[in-house]
Amino acid sequence: MRTLTDWKGNVYMKIAEKTVFPFILFLYPLLLINQGIDITDTTYSLGYYRFMDRMDITWVLATYLANVAGSFLMKLPLGNTLLGMNIYTGLLLSALALICYYALRHWMDGGIAFVGEMIALSLCWCPTTILYNYLTYFLFAAGSILLYRALISDRKSYYILAGASLGLNVMVRFPNLVEAALIVALWFAGWLNKDKISVIVKKTGLCLVGYFVGIGSILLIIIARYGMDSFIGMISGLFGMTEEASDYTLIGMLSDIASAYASSLKWIAYMIPCIFAGIIMFYIKRGQYERLKKLLYCIGILVLFRFYLGQGMFSLRYYNEGSVFQWMMLFLILSVICCIAGIGGFISGRSYKEERILAAIVLIIIVVTPIGSNNYTYQNMNNLFLVAPYTLWACYRIWLKIKGRAVYFPFQAFAAAIILMILVQGIGFGCRYVFRDGIYGEKRDSQVENSSVLAGMYTTSENAASLNSLIAFWQEGKLSNEPAIFWGDAPGLSYILDVPAAIFTTWPEIPSNTYDALDRALEEIDTLPTVVLHNDTGKEIVSGEKSDLILDFIASHNYRCVFENENYKVYQQ
C-alpha cells in the first residue's frame, strides 16, 4: 500500500520533471556566456560567418549550412557582438538538451534522463559559436530519435524525416556522411523482427528518400549560387589537404581514436584486480558482514581514486580539460559495455526488442561521432546527449536485475563510482571551463573597453590589455577595413577588427591550409595589405616553412613594424 509520503514524492518528482528539470537544462548552457575572449576557434568561426563570401570556398561549402546559420544569427539584435552570438548559439545547446530530454522521458525515468543531460551539457568543451559542431550534434540526435521512433512505430514519415535530418547534416559538415551508418540499426531491427528482405529494403528506401532530399535541397542552392564545379572542387580540396594534415586521413583519425581508448585502458587495468579481490571477499563467509564488506570496498575505491589523482589521471583544476577527460573515457567505455549488453538482450531480455534497438543506435553514435575530426575522442565528450542518459538507465536496469546479490557489488561499486566522478568532475568543469581563456587558472575579470564587438565580455587582464592596445592602435591610426593578412593563432582578429582576410583564410597556420596554397595566395596579391603577426606571451611566432613564407613576404616587400605589444606585431609598407 502506498503511503502519503510516497504519493507526495511522486507528485514532487512529476513537477520537477515538467518544470524544474527543463528550466535548468534551458539555463545551464548560458551560465558562462559572458566569459572568455578566445581569438582562435571561437572567433575564427564568427569571422567565417561575417566574411563568408570572401573565405576559402572549400570550407565555406564543406560547412555550408553552419555558415549560413551563423551569418543569419549575426543579423539578429546583438548578433554583431560576441556576447550576442554566445547567447544565440548557447540556446541551440539548450534546445538540443531539451529535445533529447523530452524524447527520452518516453522510454526511461525522467530523473535519469535529466542527470544524463546535465552530464552531457557539463562536458561540452567546444565553443558554442562553432556551429558546424553543434548543428551536427543537433541533427544527429534528431535523426537518431526519429529513426528509433520509426522502428518502434513503423510510421513511414519518421523514416523519411530521419533520413532528411541526416541528409541535412551532410551539408552542415561534409564528413557527416559517416552518420549514414545509422542505417545499420534499421537492418538490426529488421533482423530482430525477422522481417522479409523486401520489407527491410522498403524501409531503407524511405530513409534514403529523406536522405537525398535533405542533401539535394541544399545542394541545389549551392549549385545555383556557386556552380557545380565549386562543389566538386570542395570535395577534391578536402581530400587534397590530407597530404599535409595526416590526422585528417581516415587512418589518422582511427589511429587517434584507438590511442585514446588504449591510453584509458591503463586506468581500467588497475580496476580489474580490485574487482576480482572484491568478488573473493564477498565469497568468503558469504552472506555475513555484507554491510561492513561494502563499506571497506568503497573505502578501497576511494584509495584507488586518490592514487589516480596522484598519477595525474585527473585534477581538481576545473578550468582545464584534464580534470575530466579520462573520466569521460572511462564513462565512454562503460557506455560501450552497456550498449553491448543491451544489444545482446542481457538487460531486458531478448524478447524486448525496443531496448535492443535503442542500444544499437547509441553504440553507433559512440562509434561514428569522432570520425571526421582530428580531435581524438573529444568529439564524443561533446556529444553525450543520448549516450549519457542511456548509460545511466542501462546501469540502473542492471542494478535492479542483480539486486540482493552481494557478489556483484564490486561491479556495481565501480560503475557507480565512475558515474559519480563524471557527474562531480563534469559539473565542476562545466561551471568553470572557458575555451582557451584562463586555462591556467587566471581570473577573467577584465574587459576590452574600446570594442563594441567584445562589449560585456570578460577575459584575463593580460588578454584584455593586449587586445585593448591593438584595437586602440587600429582606431587611432584610422586603419581602413581593407583586407589584411593574419598569421599565428589569432584568426579571430578578423572578426574583432572587422577586417577580412587578404588571402583565402584568416588562419593559414593550421595544417589543413597547405604550404602550396599559401605560397600561391601570397604570389597573387596585387595590393600589399597590412600584416598582423601573433605570438604567445614570451614566445616568438611559430616556426616552420609557412612562417618563413610570411616573413620572406614581409622582408621582400620592405614592410616596417608600425605597432608591437606582447602578443601582436603590425606591419605596413
Side-chain angles (χ1 to χ4, degrees):
M1 183 175 178
R2 295 174 62 184
T3 65
L4 181 61
T5 303
D6 293 333
W7 179 80
K8 286 183 177 179
N10 287 333
V11 170
Y12 291 146
M13 180 54 73
K14 286 181 179 179
I15 292 172
E17 288 180 6
K18 290 181 179 180
T19 57
V20 178
F21 293 166
F23 183 68
I24 293 172
L25 293 176
F26 176 79
L27 288 182
Y28 190 41
L30 307 178
L31 183 64
L32 299 172
I33 54 171
N34 69 338
Q35 295 291 305
I37 300 175
D38 163 45
I39 56 171
T40 61
D41 297 79
T42 306
T43 43
Y44 173 56
S45 293
L46 295 174
Y48 251 93
Y49 309 151
R50 176 168 289 175
F51 301 113
M52 182 175 165
D53 292 335
R54 306 187 65 154
M55 302 299 271
D56 179 13
I57 194 67
T58 296
W59 287 112
V60 168
L61 299 186
T63 55
Y64 183 71
L65 265 184
N67 292 324
V68 169
S71 182
F72 168 75
L73 292 177
M74 282 192 161
K75 295 177 174 61
L76 299 178
L78 291 179
N80 61 338
T81 68
L82 178 56
L83 178 61
M85 289 300 288
N86 281 345
I87 292 171
Y88 293 134
T89 56
L91 289 174
L92 174 63
L93 201 53
S94 300
L96 172 56
L98 286 169
I99 286 172
C100 292
Y101 170 73
Y102 281 117
L104 291 169
R105 277 185 64 204
H106 292 290
W107 308 312
M108 65 181 68
D109 180 80
I112 290 176
F114 167 71
V115 175
E117 295 306 322
M118 285 295 292
I119 290 172
L121 287 172
S122 296
L123 297 185
C124 285
W125 59 272
C126 180
T128 57
T129 55
I130 304 178
L131 286 174
Y132 66 72
N133 276 337
Y134 288 104
L135 274 177
T136 287
Y137 307 142
F138 184 90
L139 289 172
F140 197 10
S144 301
I145 291 167
L146 287 165
L147 179 61
Y148 182 64
R149 291 184 69 90
L151 293 172
I152 62 177
S153 67
D154 205 29
R155 288 180 58 178
K156 294 180 180 179
S157 58
Y158 285 150
Y159 289 109
I160 295 171
L161 290 172
S165 296
L166 298 180
L168 287 172
N169 221 3
V170 173
M171 310 312 287
V172 170
R173 192 182 66 141
F174 195 70
N176 289 342
L177 280 166
V178 296
E179 293 173 4
L182 269 178
I183 201 68
V184 174
L186 186 152
W187 299 338
F188 175 66
W191 176 75
L192 285 180
N193 294 324
K194 295 182 173 58
D195 290 337
K196 295 180 179 179
I197 296 296
S198 59
V199 173
I200 297 174
V201 169
K202 181 181 178 181
K203 292 176 180 178
T204 302
L206 290 172
C207 289
L208 287 174
V209 167
Y211 191 71
F212 289 122
V213 167
I215 293 177
S217 59
I218 307 302
L219 182 58
L220 288 174
I221 296 172
I222 290 174
I223 293 171
R225 185 170 181 180
Y226 299 98
M228 190 64 188
D229 288 343
S230 295
F231 186 76
I232 295 172
M234 176 271 291
I235 297 173
S236 62
L238 289 177
F239 283 104
M241 68 181 58
T242 59
E243 294 176 8
E244 289 192 22
S246 59
D247 51 352
Y248 274 103
T249 64
L250 180 59
I251 293 175
M253 287 184 285
L254 294 178
S255 176
D256 287 344
I257 294 166
S259 68
Y261 279 97
S263 65
S264 298
L265 291 177
K266 168 185 174 181
W267 309 111
I268 295 285
Y270 288 112
M271 293 181 179
I272 292 173
C274 297
I275 291 172
F276 280 114
I279 293 172
I280 293 170
M281 181 177 70
F282 280 98
Y283 263 113
I284 296 172
K285 293 188 179 295
R286 194 170 181 177
Q288 299 180 38
Y289 311 111
E290 287 191 353
R291 287 188 179 180
L292 178 60
K293 290 177 183 177
K294 289 178 180 179
L295 176 61
L296 290 173
Y297 197 78
C298 289
I299 292 172
I301 291 177
L302 291 176
V303 172
L304 178 63
F305 286 1
R306 178 61 183 86
F307 170 76
Y308 283 173
L309 179 63
Q311 292 293 305
M313 181 264 200
F314 71 103
S315 74
L316 302 180
R317 296 185 289 273
Y318 296 117
Y319 44 79
N320 190 287
E321 298 101 329
S323 62
V324 76
F325 179 74
Q326 287 298 335
W327 286 118
M328 185 280 299
M329 286 303 305
L330 295 187
F331 184 77
L332 207 58
I333 291 170
L334 178 63
S335 300
V336 171
I337 294 170
C338 288
C339 289
I340 293 171
I343 291 170
F346 300 112
I347 296 177
S348 56
R350 291 180 173 271
S351 60
Y352 199 11
K353 298 169 186 176
E354 293 181 0
E355 290 189 15
R356 298 177 71 182
I357 295 168
L358 180 59
I361 289 173
V362 172
L363 182 60
I364 293 168
I365 291 172
I366 293 171
V367 172
V368 165
T369 292
I371 299 174
S373 168
N374 62 342
N375 283 323
Y376 297 90
T377 50
Y378 276 95
Q379 297 300 101
N380 287 111
M381 189 169 165
N382 262 348
N383 189 24
L384 294 173
F385 294 93
L386 293 175
V387 175
Y390 172 79
T391 303
L392 300 183
W393 179 66
C395 286
Y396 174 70
R397 295 290 300 276
I398 292 170
W399 292 338
L400 287 180
K401 199 168 186 178
I402 61 176
K403 186 178 180 181
R405 303 184 205 177
V407 72
Y408 293 113
F409 182 77
F411 295 102
Q412 291 176 285
F414 268 107
I418 291 171
I419 291 170
L420 178 63
M421 289 304 294
I422 195 66
L423 181 61
V424 172
Q425 292 295 103
I427 290 178
F429 177 78
C431 293
R432 290 287 306 279
Y433 177 79
V434 172
F435 186 78
R436 291 196 179 186
D437 198 332
I439 60 173
Y440 299 109
E442 307 97 323
K443 289 185 178 179
R444 294 183 295 270
D445 55 4
S446 302
Q447 291 185 290
V448 179
E449 304 290 351
N450 55 359
S451 172
S452 59
V453 172
L454 303 177
M457 297 299 299
Y458 286 86
T459 184
T460 63
S461 57
E462 182 182 278
N463 193 29
S466 183
L467 286 170
N468 262 316
S469 62
L470 175 64
I471 294 169
F473 166 78
W474 214 270
Q475 293 170 344
E476 292 166 7
K478 297 181 179 179
L479 298 181
S480 66
N481 290 341
E482 290 299 313
I485 295 174
F486 300 95
W487 179 256
D489 280 333
L493 290 179
S494 170
Y495 167 73
I496 292 170
L497 299 173
D498 196 23
V499 174
I503 55 176
F504 62 96
T505 179
T506 55
W507 207 352
E509 183 192 349
I510 56 177
S512 56
N513 293 319
T514 65
Y515 174 93
D516 291 339
L518 177 59
D519 191 22
R520 286 194 303 271
L522 293 176
E523 288 179 357
E524 292 169 1
I525 288 177
D526 295 324
T527 304
L528 294 177
T530 299
V531 179
V532 183
L533 303 184
H534 167 263
N535 59 275
D536 292 330
T537 303
K539 299 180 180 179
E540 296 296 324
I541 65 170
V542 177
S543 61
E545 289 184 331
K546 288 192 288 185
S547 291
D548 292 341
L549 269 181
I550 295 291
L551 295 176
D552 289 345
F553 178 83
I554 290 172
S556 63
H557 291 91
N558 299 315
Y559 274 81
R560 59 189 178 88
C561 184
V562 295
F563 171 82
E564 180 177 359
N565 66 17
E566 289 186 344
N567 299 110
Y568 306 104
K569 291 180 181 178
V570 179
Y571 288 85
Q572 290 182 320
Q573 268 211 315

